[in-house]
Amino acid sequence: MGRQFFVGGNFKMNGTIKSIQDIVYQLNDAKVDPNTEVVIAPPALYLLLAREHLRKGIEVAAQNVFDKPNGAFTGEISAEQLKDSGITWTLTGHSERRVIMGEQDSVSDGPTDWKEIGR
């Protein structure tokens, strides 16, 4: 079996309910090669909207994930919460989080990376 092609779209802090719905409808109608994995990363507010309306075979990623399972971490989302919501991917290592927000590379694995967190 050959290598699977991966297409990932990070929306960053862009989108509205309407624009996310439009993208989801377009993806649902798209002809995607079965050897291509497609994952989209809308803003956190729209994760469930995308997950609930996307067809099977197109995955949703969180743009960020916290490394603790739960606790008093305002605004953070854990991998366990994402998996519970059917979100099976996340992004880590954003340059803007390092530059603008002062996150250290020790918080992530370095450069931005798409990671599967489980299905």
Side-chain angles (χ1 to χ4, degrees), residues 1-90:
M1 177 187 223
R3 211 169 124 178
Q4 188 171 28
F5 190 66
F6 180 88
V7 177
N10 181 6
F11 299 10
K12 303 225 174 230
M13 196 175 71
N14 296 297
T16 62
I17 289 173
K18 172 81 169 90
S19 68
I20 302 298
Q21 287 174 328
D22 289 346
I23 291 168
V24 164
Y25 296 144
Q26 290 174 17
L27 286 170
N28 285 341
D29 288 340
K31 293 181 181 172
V32 178
D33 184 299
N35 293 318
T36 302
E37 185 146 25
V38 178
V39 182
I40 64 168
L45 182 61
Y46 306 120
L47 286 170
L48 290 178
L49 172 70
R51 178 65 282 148
E52 289 172 357
H53 295 285
L54 272 171
R55 73 178 195 223
K56 184 177 175 151
I58 299 177
E59 298 299 326
V60 178
Q63 294 180 8
N64 201 32
V65 65
F66 198 61
D67 67 345
K68 304 288 187 264
N70 56 50
F73 304 104
T74 303
E76 299 297 337
I77 303 173
S78 72
E80 288 78 7
Q81 291 171 318
L82 292 170
K83 289 189 283 188
D84 184 51
S85 298
I87 310 301
T88 56
W89 286 82
T90 189

Side-chain angles (χ1 to χ4, degrees), residues 96-111:
E96 65 264 30
R97 292 193 65 88
R98 290 190 304 275
V99 173
I100 298 169
M101 298 170 188
E103 277 188 4
Q104 301 296 311
D105 283 344
S106 61
V107 173
S108 69
D109 295 333

